Amino acid sequence: MAISSISLKKEQNGLNIPMGYFWAIFLICISPTVMSMLGVELSYNGFRILSFSKITEGVSTQLILGRTFSTIWIIFSIAVGVFTCILTLIDFSVKKDIAAPIIGLCMLCISIFDMFHLLIILGVVSTNLDLDAAIYITWFVSRILSILLLIIATYIILNLKEKHLNSDRQKTAFVKFIGISFCIISIVAMFFVLTLKSLPTVFIDREAFFTHPLEVISIIGYLFWGGYLMPKVLRTFDGVFFKMLILSMIPAIFADVHMAVFYKNFDIEYNFAQFLRLFAYIIPLIGISLNYSRNIAKQHQMNLILDNEIKAKEKIQQDLERRQNLLQNAEKLANMGSWELDVKTKEINFSDALYKIFGYMPNSITPDLDLMYNMIIPEYRAGYKNMLEEAITKQTNFNTEYQVLWVNGQRRYILAQCRYIQSDKKIIGTCLDITELKETTQKLSQNEALLKEAESIAHNGSFEWFNGVDHFFWSEELFRIHGYKPNSIEITLNFYEKLIHNDDKERCLQMVTSIMETKKDFATEYRIIRPDKSIRYVYLTAKVIVNEQNQIVKILGNLQDITELKNAAILLEKTESIYKTIAGNVPDSVVLMFDASHKLILFDGPIIKDVRFKNELTQGMHISELFPDEEFENNKSILEKAFRGEEIQLEKDFQDEKTFMIDFKPVKNISGDIFNVMVVMHDITEIKNVQKSLESKVEELNSSNQDLEQFAYVASHDLQEPLRKIRAFGERLQNKFTDNISPEGLDYVKRMQNASERMQTLIDDLLTFSRVTRTDEVYVKVDLHHQLQKIIEDLEYTIEKKNATIDLMVNHTIDAIPSQIRQLFQNILSNAIKFTKEGVAPLVEIKSEILRGEVLDVKGLEQNKDYCLITFKDNGIGFDQQYADKIFELFQRLHTRDEYQGTGIGLAVCKKIVDKHNGGITVGSKQNEGTIFTIILPLKQ
């Protein structure tokens, strides 16, 4: 038997055939054969319940029953074949694998022929043969057709390569071709049966054991198909459908064996053959069904795996995002940035925080190694470069400290740490901005030194006492104030009590008790006795620190030796006399001094007699006695504000048509407490008169300028209409009467059009110049970098056409009028791109920095005001420096109109805009060496 070529032991089964299915199929097929051979029969009272005995003659009830069962087996066979074909085609529509549908189409065509076989059995279709011969010949042709189609289909599957069918469309067309071809073969087989006149005797031999010996042909075919061809298929296609398909040859062979020995149509052997053929059809159906169920299970399992992988990836992604956000927030909080350098490609990447540490907006520049080196100031640069190169060469780590220089001139301290990553061949580094820490450390050191020096100079010491700890911390000067060397003794409350003068001791102890109860800050004055028995006056101020439960945590205090102040009290009267002398000699002024009770304690000044108060001035009089009732409340309110620490200045007109500038200035003692307020009244009547005169002149000048600007504006507008008519009529002459005008006339028209276009440009530029001073726009915060970016975008076509490079290093915000700043920058940048050398790509560098007016040293700028200095440097044609002032005048041109277009108004507009913004503009240039425009604009207007 050819099936023996397939190993039935699982460990030797190279084709991986499911052995459980094999034995089940084998037992189902062998059982009818055994029962037929044994002639098994069940009867009761002469009535046969179940009989497997052969029918040898006559027509009996068993034959009628056998015909019925045979019909049922054939109908089910047809249905199973059709259903199997449908499932394989569905599988093809999903997977686009043509192997299964080829077998399915094979079974469909066999089922069609089985339908033809059934119609002959039922007598619907008649042939030239008798019924018995017709029934057998259709069975025989059906089996030959079945194995023939299976062999053809298997050969197609084995020899078909993927390269033959590249697309789904080609595969679908091929499957249709196979189906049509198989149908044609089936139809040819039907036609053969219908045209057959007689059946040769070799087909049926009633006298022999094998009544139908030609069944051996189909048996050999099935053995060849299942034993030789299908193992090759299974080595390529490992699906359960083909594993079950090869097992279908078992019932197929058994069916042919039963058909080889059946005696009469519809007997038990005939029915067994039909039943086993049905079983042979059912096995591929089971295979395709199992294939579907396994695919569904695999798909479900794959979905679960994919779902778990997606969830795991989402979790990883969320974790990465959370860590990235955490890192970014940590960098922001720590003022730290990070970078990485690819050792091979030298490509370097900055984190967003690192851009800010180096003084740039994130992603505003393209980082590279040379740029990072250039950011480091020269005295640190070489050392850092050597350390980085050594780390790359030796694959080591390092940390160092250096300074970087921002574009605005500010220096920042950086703590850098670098690590070589062997696996990635990268250097990873962090940069921590420690400028504030450095400055704080320096300030602390300076403050500590200054504090010690100040305490030494002022005889001022500080202390700290923690509640529950019987020990004081004293500054060095506090030891000296009490007559001891610094840190020479331990200070406790009991020890310090002995240092207080006996006359002040009880008062001080009572104050301590009161402080522990009230928990309020305090100040007091008392005497101490030094070890040398000398007595010193001291003034103590202290702050009480409490917790949330209002319990004293500690007391911080300051103690000053005021012995000299006490001695200086004697000199107070002399000092007051000197003060009066000074106040009496302040020109055109009256000086008044009020104490905390609003009483006048001092008054003097050269013009004190010329100022009319409510009453004559006397020492000790209240402020209410100086001014009328309607002015008293206002002056009292101002005086109270001054006692709260405010410095107030106001102007006031008096009845005698005099104007005074009045200043209320708080006067503080050494401890910072305000004990007096000084009122200085300065006569500014003449100054106000001069100011009014100047304002009148300025108004007249502004009115004149406005008239001139209005004239220019109106004139420019009035010129528009005749100019439009000139251009319109010129275009009509040029378009409609070209044939009627001589060439010379056309030349005149063309010149007229060119002149009118230049006139239009000139008028537009004049209007632009006029709008600079006529605009009513207000000053707002203007981001210079943003404005320049927009201008570069607007000039993108010109920049690309000229192949220009714009190097933008501007990152400041000023108070300005946005439209005018945009006009200013656009005019200068356009000129830089326009006036270029032949064959040289334009390069424009734009930089900015913040400088004080005193550093700029430019006439007209305020010394104590911050200014933004913007420079435009190009590599263009330049010009002679002697024309530097001339180019900012109206209609001034250094080149002919044929060389470069323009009206000579653009730079005059720039000068006008800068003047309106209270700034300055200068230019430096050399012939064929480029030009630098320098613009100075105030940060605040």
Side-chain angles (χ1 to χ4, degrees):
M1 198 178 227
I3 194 71
S4 62
S5 64
I6 303 173
S7 177
L8 300 182
K9 294 183 180 180
K10 188 171 185 180
E11 61 273 12
Q12 299 176 353
N13 187 1
L15 302 178
N16 196 21
I17 294 175
M19 299 310 299
Y21 293 118
F22 169 79
W23 290 114
I25 292 169
F26 184 78
L27 292 175
I28 292 174
C29 293
I30 199 68
S31 297
T33 305
V34 173
M35 287 186 288
S36 176
M37 292 174 61
L38 296 176
V40 176
E41 183 176 291
L42 297 178
S43 59
Y44 180 75
N45 290 333
F47 180 76
R48 291 179 178 178
I49 300 174
L50 181 65
S51 176
F52 291 96
S53 300
K54 294 183 179 180
I55 302 173
T56 56
E57 59 184 3
V59 179
S60 66
T61 305
Q62 286 110 331
L63 287 179
I64 298 172
L65 193 60
R67 180 188 180 95
T68 302
F69 276 107
S70 295
T71 304
I72 294 173
W73 307 141
I74 295 172
I75 292 172
F76 274 104
S77 297
I78 295 169
V80 170
V82 173
F83 192 61
T84 302
C85 178
I86 292 172
L87 290 180
T88 57
L89 291 176
I90 293 173
D91 184 70
F92 170 73
S93 67
V94 176
K95 298 181 180 179
K96 297 302 178 184
D97 184 1
I98 64 173
I102 290 177
I103 300 299
L105 290 171
C106 176
M107 294 188 66
L108 176 65
C109 292
I110 296 170
S111 297
I112 293 173
F113 194 88
D114 287 345
M115 177 67 73
F116 174 72
H117 176 56
L118 178 62
L119 293 175
I120 289 177
I121 291 173
L122 298 176
V124 176
V125 176
S126 59
T127 65
N128 297 323
L129 305 174
D130 61 84
L131 184 59
D132 286 344
I135 291 173
Y136 174 71
I137 195 62
T138 52
W139 159 271
F140 178 76
V141 174
S142 170
R143 304 314 297 151
I144 296 299
L145 178 65
S146 173
I147 190 60
L148 177 64
L149 292 181
L150 284 174
I151 291 172
I152 293 172
T154 306
Y155 265 107
I156 293 173
I157 292 170
L158 289 173
N159 293 288
L160 190 65
K161 306 296 182 182
E162 281 294 327
K163 63 181 181 180
H164 298 151
L165 301 173
N166 296 323
S167 65
D168 293 344
R169 185 175 181 180
Q170 289 177 330
K171 292 179 181 180
T172 302
F174 184 75
V175 169
K176 290 180 180 179
F177 172 76
I178 293 297
I180 294 170
S181 300
F182 285 176
C183 286
I184 291 172
I185 293 173
S186 300
I187 293 171
V188 170
M190 294 179 195
F191 183 77
F192 169 76
V193 172
L194 291 173
T195 56
L196 192 63
K197 300 296 184 180
S198 63
L199 189 64
T201 57
V202 70
F203 280 91
I204 302 175
D205 186 2
R206 300 286 185 185
E207 304 299 328
F209 176 76
F210 291 102
T211 57
H212 301 83
L214 293 185
E215 290 295 324
V216 72
I217 298 175
S218 60
I219 293 174
I220 293 171
Y222 274 110
L223 290 174
F224 171 75
W225 171 74
Y228 176 73
L229 295 180
M230 281 305 296
K232 295 182 178 181
V233 174
L234 290 179
R235 292 187 184 96
T236 305
F237 300 93
D238 194 33
V240 68
F241 173 70
F242 288 100
K243 293 176 184 178
M244 295 297 290
L245 180 64
I246 192 173
L247 295 178
S248 67
M249 78 174 186
I250 299 173
I253 291 173
F254 273 96
D256 288 337
V257 170
H258 281 278
M259 207 65 177
V261 298
F262 91 97
Y263 181 77
K264 194 169 184 64
N265 289 332
F266 311 123
D267 67 0
I268 193 65
E269 298 294 345
Y270 180 90
N271 269 278
F272 278 158
Q274 294 287 6
F275 168 75
L276 290 172
R277 182 176 65 170
L278 168 62
F279 190 47
Y281 287 1
I282 290 175
I283 292 173
L285 177 61
I286 294 173
I288 194 68
S289 301
L290 289 174
N291 192 43
Y292 272 102
S293 63
R294 291 188 181 184
N295 287 339
I296 292 171
K298 287 181 180 179
Q299 186 65 36
H300 180 67
Q301 185 177 7
M302 184 62 68
N303 290 339
L304 291 176
I305 294 172
L306 290 175
D307 187 53
N308 291 332
E309 288 180 356
I310 290 171
K311 289 180 179 178
K313 288 182 179 179
E314 288 178 350
K315 185 176 181 182
I316 292 171
Q317 182 67 25
Q318 291 172 357
D319 188 50
L320 287 175
E321 290 177 356
R322 185 176 67 254
R323 291 187 180 184
Q324 185 176 4
N325 292 333
L326 183 63
L327 178 60
Q328 290 178 351
N329 292 330
E331 286 187 345
K332 291 179 182 178
L333 291 174
N335 201 12
M336 181 180 71
S338 58
W339 57 272
E340 66 173 10
L341 171 67
D342 192 308
V343 175
K344 291 184 178 180
T345 64
K346 301 300 182 184
E347 181 181 352
I348 190 169
N349 294 313
F350 287 178
S351 68
D352 289 349
L354 190 60
Y355 283 98
K356 296 181 180 179
I357 288 175
F358 286 152
Y360 293 94
M361 294 297 290
N363 301 313
S364 61
I365 58 172
T366 302
D368 58 53
L369 201 56
D370 292 334
L371 176 65
M372 190 168 73
Y373 287 149
N374 291 333
M375 291 177 183
I376 303 173
I377 62 175
E379 51 261 42
Y380 293 94
R381 188 178 300 158
Y384 181 83
K385 186 175 182 180
N386 291 336
M387 283 188 286
L388 184 57
E389 290 176 351
E390 183 178 355
I392 294 174
T393 304
K394 298 182 179 180
Q395 300 182 3
T396 57
N397 310 322
F398 72 91
N399 59 73
T400 185
E401 184 180 311
Y402 58 84
Q403 287 183 341
V404 297
L405 186 65
W406 282 10
V407 292
N408 62 0
Q410 184 180 0
R411 291 192 175 197
R412 306 293 291 181
Y413 290 90
I414 304 297
L415 177 62
Q417 293 185 338
C418 297
R419 180 179 295 275
Y420 186 89
I421 307 300
Q422 175 67 32
S423 59
D424 296 333
K425 303 296 182 185
K426 290 183 179 180
I427 288 281
I428 294 179
T430 61
C431 295
L432 177 64
D433 189 339
I434 59 172
T435 306
E436 285 74 16
L437 180 61
K438 272 284 188 181
E439 292 176 350
T440 302
T441 303
Q442 293 173 357
K443 287 180 181 179
L444 284 175
S445 300
Q446 294 172 359
N447 290 340
E448 186 176 356
L450 289 173
L451 180 59
K452 289 181 180 180
E453 190 68 24
E455 285 185 344
S456 177
I457 295 172
H459 299 293
N460 203 351
S462 57
F463 69 88
E464 186 174 15
W465 174 78
F466 287 89
N467 189 13
V469 180
D470 190 18
H471 173 76
F472 285 83
F473 168 78
W474 275 13
S475 66
E476 293 181 1
E477 187 61 26
L478 200 55
F479 280 97
R480 297 189 187 100
I481 291 173
H482 289 81
Y484 295 95
K485 292 182 179 180
N487 302 311
S488 59
I489 58 173
E490 183 178 359
I491 309 300
T492 63
L493 192 59
N494 291 331
F495 174 78
Y496 190 75
E497 185 180 338
K498 298 174 183 179
L499 302 180
I500 302 175
H501 195 282
N502 289 332
D503 294 342
D504 297 332
K505 187 176 296 184
E506 185 177 352
R507 178 172 57 85
C508 289
L509 292 175
Q510 290 177 354
M511 184 186 64
V512 170
T513 304
S514 175
I515 291 167
M516 301 304 290
E517 293 177 355
T518 61
K519 303 176 181 61
K520 293 182 179 180
D521 300 342
F522 62 94
T524 187
E525 180 184 320
Y526 57 92
R527 288 165 291 177
I528 59 172
I529 302 175
R530 286 182 170 183
D532 61 0
K533 304 303 180 183
S534 62
I535 299 174
R536 306 292 292 181
Y537 286 88
V538 294
Y539 184 78
L540 182 146
T541 58
K543 182 175 182 62
V544 180
I545 308 298
V546 298
N547 57 21
E548 295 179 354
Q549 290 75 32
N550 199 31
Q551 297 174 342
I552 295 178
V553 176
K554 63 181 178 178
I555 297 177
L556 303 175
N558 180 273
L559 186 140
Q560 184 179 15
D561 186 345
I562 61 170
T563 305
E564 285 74 15
L565 292 176
K566 282 290 185 179
N567 294 331
I570 302 172
L571 302 174
L572 183 59
E573 292 182 1
K574 295 181 180 180
T575 304
E576 184 178 347
S577 177
I578 294 171
Y579 177 78
K580 287 185 177 182
T581 301
I582 296 173
N585 288 279
V586 178
D588 300 326
S589 297
V590 174
V591 180
L592 309 175
M593 187 78 75
F594 292 91
D595 62 11
S597 60
H598 300 175
K599 291 184 178 180
L600 187 64
I601 60 174
L602 179 67
F603 53 92
D604 210 335
I607 61 170
I608 192 168
K609 294 181 179 179
D610 298 332
V611 181
R612 298 178 183 178
F613 292 97
K614 180 180 177 181
N615 296 305
E616 185 178 350
L617 298 180
T618 58
Q619 193 168 2
M621 67 187 304
H622 195 266
I623 188 174
S624 60
E625 301 177 57
L626 272 70
F627 303 101
D629 295 341
E630 61 272 12
E631 298 180 10
F632 163 66
E633 290 296 335
N634 184 47
N635 289 325
K636 178 184 176 184
S637 174
I638 296 173
L639 193 62
E640 289 175 347
K641 290 180 180 179
F643 270 106
R644 290 196 293 269
E646 297 184 33
E647 292 189 5
I648 303 168
Q649 186 181 72
L650 55 88
E651 289 185 12
K652 182 174 177 58
D653 295 327
F654 278 72
Q655 298 89 340
D656 51 2
E657 298 182 355
K658 287 185 176 293
T659 302
F660 284 86
M661 179 67 71
I662 306 175
D663 290 288
F664 292 79
K665 295 185 176 294
V667 181
K668 302 178 181 180
N669 58 21
I670 297 175
S671 63
D673 297 328
I674 300 172
F675 62 93
N676 287 328
V677 169
M678 182 172 64
V679 180
V680 180
M681 302 175 60
H682 185 70
D683 188 354
I684 59 171
T685 305
E686 293 183 5
I687 297 174
K688 293 293 288 184
N689 291 335
V690 172
Q691 182 179 350
K692 290 178 181 178
S693 177
L694 287 174
E695 289 175 355
S696 176
K697 296 294 184 184
V698 170
E699 288 179 0
E700 292 177 3
L701 183 60
N702 289 337
S703 177
S704 177
N705 288 338
Q706 289 176 0
D707 291 341
L708 288 173
E709 291 167 2
Q710 183 69 20
F711 172 76
Y713 185 80
V714 172
S716 298
H717 271 279
D718 291 344
L719 287 173
Q720 297 274 13
E721 182 58 31
L723 185 61
R724 278 195 294 269
K725 289 183 178 179
I726 291 172
R727 295 182 67 182
F729 289 131
E731 289 178 358
R732 292 180 183 178
L733 284 172
Q734 197 170 13
N735 295 334
K736 293 184 177 181
F737 303 101
T738 302
D739 298 335
N740 301 327
I741 301 176
S742 66
E744 183 179 5
L746 288 175
D747 182 58
Y748 291 158
V749 172
K750 184 177 181 181
R751 292 185 183 183
M752 179 184 69
Q753 289 294 84
N754 291 338
S756 63
E757 288 180 4
R758 292 196 300 273
M759 186 66 177
Q760 181 67 55
T761 303
L762 180 61
I763 291 173
D764 292 339
D765 289 347
L766 281 173
L767 288 173
T768 301
F769 183 80
S770 175
R771 290 192 193 100
V772 172
T773 52
R774 288 173 54 83
T775 181
D776 56 355
E777 295 184 71
V778 296
Y779 292 97
V780 296
K781 295 290 182 184
V782 176
D783 187 338
L784 300 183
H785 180 86
H786 178 67
Q787 292 293 331
L788 284 165
Q789 284 282 25
K790 290 170 63 178
I791 292 169
I792 292 171
E793 292 174 4
D794 293 342
L795 298 175
E796 182 179 3
Y797 174 75
T798 304
I799 292 171
E800 290 182 357
K801 184 178 179 181
K802 288 271 192 173
N803 194 24
T805 300
I806 311 298
D807 191 356
L808 181 59
M809 290 176 284
V810 175
N811 191 20
H812 295 101
T813 301
I814 67 171
D815 289 344
I817 300 173
S819 61
Q820 293 189 4
I821 289 296
R822 185 177 176 86
Q823 183 73 45
L824 167 65
F825 290 165
Q826 183 165 337
N827 287 355
I828 294 177
L829 186 57
S830 298
N831 282 350
I833 299 173
K834 179 168 68 173
F835 297 103
T836 57
K837 290 184 283 189
E838 187 70 27
V840 178
L843 172 62
V844 184
E845 296 180 359
I846 310 174
K847 299 180 180 179
S848 70
E849 59 180 325
I850 305 300
L851 297 172
R852 298 285 287 180
E854 57 189 2
V855 176
L856 292 169
D857 194 22
V858 177
K859 185 179 179 181
L861 300 184
E862 298 181 25
Q863 298 295 305
N864 298 322
K865 194 170 184 178
D866 289 330
Y867 289 86
C868 183
L869 186 143
I870 307 110
T871 58
F872 288 75
K873 180 180 179 182
D874 63 58
N875 62 344
I877 60 175
F879 60 85
D880 196 328
Q881 184 63 27
Q882 64 176 322
Y883 300 112
D885 295 330
K886 182 180 178 181
I887 63 173
F888 292 110
E889 298 176 5
L890 275 172
F891 310 116
Q892 295 299 323
R893 297 171 51 88
L894 301 183
H895 305 278
T896 64
R897 186 177 297 106
D898 295 335
E899 293 177 311
Y900 297 97
Q901 295 183 354
T903 60
I905 296 178
L907 291 179
V909 172
C910 294
K911 182 69 166 60
K912 196 89 170 179
I913 292 172
V914 172
D915 290 344
K916 184 174 179 64
H917 284 76
N918 304 312
I921 181 170
T922 59
V923 63
S925 182
K926 286 185 179 181
Q927 195 74 32
N928 294 320
E929 293 187 14
T931 304
I932 300 178
F933 280 90
T934 302
I935 303 169
I936 303 172
L937 298 172
L939 282 184
K940 305 285 185 182
Q941 290 292 338

